[in-house]
Amino acid sequence: MKNLLLTPFEKAPFEHIETSHFKPAFEKAIQEARSEIDHITNTSKAPTFKNTIEALEFSGAHLDRLSSLFFNLNSAETSEELQQLAQEISPMLTEFSNDIALNTLLFQRVEAVYELRGTLSLSGEEEMLLEKKYKFFSRNGAHLSLEEKNRLRAIDKELAQLKLTFGEHVLAETNSFEMHLTKEEQIEGLPEGAREAASQLAASKGKEGWVITLDYPSYIPFMTYASNRELRKKLSIAFGSKGFHKDKLDNQEIVLKIANLRHERASLLGYESHAHFVLEERMAETPGKVKSFLDELLEKAKPAAVIEFDELKDFAFQIDGIKELYKWDGSYYAEKLKQQRFNLDDEKLKPYFKLEKVIDGVFKIAHSLYGLSFNEVDDVETYHKDVKTYEVTDKDGRNVALLYADFHPRPGKRGGAWMTSYKPQYQKEGVNERPHISIVCNFTKPTSSKPSLLTFNEVTTLFHEFGHALHGMLANTTYPSLSGTSVYWDFVELPSQIMENWCFEKEALQLFAHHFETGESLPMELINKIKESANFQEGMATLRQLSFGFLDMAWHAQDPSTIKDVKKLELDTFKDTMLFPDTPETCMSTAFSHIFQGGYSAGYYSYKWAEVLDADAFAYFKEKGIFSKEVAQKFKEYILSKGGTEKPMSLYKKFRGSEPKLEALLERAGLLKKTG
């Protein structure tokens, strides 16, 4: 088959790709990008914004597209061959990136333009690009000695491989575990849909009975509904001990190495810690500010969390005589308490949330707010038959974006949910190139008797990822590195988290929450219960998120060389946020992919940080009406379309008229009532 990856492509040619195509394509694309860099550095013309900064921005475009394609596939449809290839390609890309970052001649040209910035009459976006390019060099070793530069290269190469290995271990642990059940009493309490899915999975493996796995659509229902406490314990420990078995898939040494290499890298560049390095380019700015933010929320949330936990313990004792509540009891008794308090059961809600209807609903909301239309098309190549594709157009019928959507779990796909891009938005030579955006989730699959029916949590997950997708699709900037979600990481969650708010609003729910068999709208009584229960155990949920933020900072805001025991660090870090007794067999860090594989190192706090932004922003929508064209237009103009062309707080104030207030989050979460 002809290798279509050797030359630039518009849409990703998924159905014409063989694994063997990638390496030669990367080798050629890297060579082309090197030639483009050589052209910039070898010119005899004096450095200008256009011949240096802009030329650098648009160099390596084919390599960037190829990298997006390859690493997205490695997350959503991987194989042993692809994983092996990733181990070869990652060092090649790291070396190339370092060759640019440590290119003295190139940096001299960038620095020359940077020093003249006050005299150049640049637009705001051009100024931001110039600052970003200069910082890329200064924050990646341009000022280091040759010996230090060589050490930096070695660190980056090793980090790239360690992060890949970490992720491969987590995926392998997830895929290798299964709980095979053959007796009816072992699945007592499990809802009909979850039973059927487990039965089908068992049949697909040639087994009788039911198979439960660590994939969320299998794991969550079992932990929430299965009455067999011992089996919940077994599943919970399997889930919580990924990468923590002192075997070939163990991640403890990898975690220690990653943390120490990150610290060494930051020290080389003159920073006190990895967190100091990272936060220089965040709204939060310093580890001190992050800690103050987390501490303030802890002070507000902990009293509420303790009250909620005591209620849960009392409830479990009353109904089942449970004297000590463990992690594997949390979801089970929380669901029973929620049902008792609100008479609200996810199983009652699921029939109203057929996947296709929820997708249609989120599209209708995007149409109402931003004038977007989504037309499903079948002539776009995809990497798996489950992937759906949509052409997105504006109110005038103009092309806005291409959207890929991949909703169900399978063996070669990592867990969780994410949004990504196959092609960025940018403007060049008078053409506004539109983006290709993808959302990837792991929702309950359809069974032989039922369509894919979502839990309410899955509904909010879909809205969350779609919010990220809107940020990508509505991008309207000149430069690709400032486009879409290319913003500070403690700002990137605002568009996603604000979208979740519509899931709790009657006007929005009536657009898509219809019973999959009768077509009946979600009854008003259930809508009211969704709203009433929105803050159920919010103190405990907040404490859990804060614990992850504190753990992230424990790894990255200090010198980690004194950390010898991963588990001990966790116990020390969690002492102020821990409600359930510790389970010695489990460890959070060894599967904490957000910070050890993804881009959230020293940034996990940003979920809560963005919640403050989204609560404050949605309060503005509520004030004017949740489908207010005026507020939506401002949100689109100042947040969704601007990408990273201005500082986030500046954009937020243009949208809102003032800085965000923490009280908006505390009020929405019901924490003001519980604590004050």
Side-chain angles (χ1 to χ4, degrees), residues 8-11 36 54-66 68 125 129 132-133 399-402 421-437 471-486 640-645:
F9 46 85
E10 173 56 15
K11 295 185 179 80
E36 291 168 347
E54 205 169 77
L56 180 58
E57 170 71 357
F58 287 113
S59 68
H62 179 208
L63 179 60
D64 290 342
R65 290 289 309 278
L66 194 57
S68 295
E125 187 175 349
L129 183 70
K132 187 169 184 172
K133 293 301 177 198
N399 175 40
V400 169
L402 175 65
S421 157
Y422 284 101
K423 178 192 173 190
Q425 177 274 330
Y426 60 92
Q427 296 178 49
K428 193 177 180 189
E429 294 166 2
V431 177
N432 192 332
E433 295 284 350
R434 300 311 303 166
H436 298 174
I437 302 298
H471 203 182
M473 292 188 290
L474 288 171
N476 195 26
T477 65
T478 304
Y479 303 113
S481 72
L482 299 177
S483 179
T485 56
S486 300
L640 296 176
S641 70
K642 284 285 194 292
T645 57

Side-chain angles (χ1 to χ4, degrees), residues 547-580:
S547 72
F548 298 165
F550 282 121
L551 180 60
D552 176 24
M553 297 311 283
W555 279 113
H556 295 118
Q558 60 182 353
D559 180 350
S561 62
T562 57
I563 303 168
K564 303 301 177 196
D565 186 327
V566 174
K567 180 71 177 183
K568 184 179 181 305
L569 174 80
E570 291 192 5
L571 288 172
D572 292 345
T573 305
F574 290 157
K575 64 181 185 297
D576 291 331
T577 56
M578 190 184 284
L579 296 170
F580 293 96

Side-chain angles (χ1 to χ4, degrees), residues 424-492:
Q425 177 274 330
Y426 60 92
Q427 296 178 49
K428 193 177 180 189
E429 294 166 2
V431 177
N432 192 332
E433 295 284 350
R434 300 311 303 166
H436 298 174
I437 302 298
S438 172
I439 53 175
V440 188
C441 305
N442 279 281
F443 296 146
T444 309
K445 279 187 148 182
T447 66
S448 52
S449 66
K450 280 196 179 76
S452 176
L453 301 176
L454 305 188
T455 64
F456 189 68
N457 189 46
E458 288 177 326
V459 174
T460 59
T461 296
L462 175 53
F463 272 66
H464 180 101
E465 298 310 331
F466 188 77
H468 280 310
L470 284 172
H471 203 182
M473 292 188 290
L474 288 171
N476 195 26
T477 65
T478 304
Y479 303 113
S481 72
L482 299 177
S483 179
T485 56
S486 300
V487 299
Y488 282 3
W489 276 58
D490 46 8
F491 193 59
V492 79

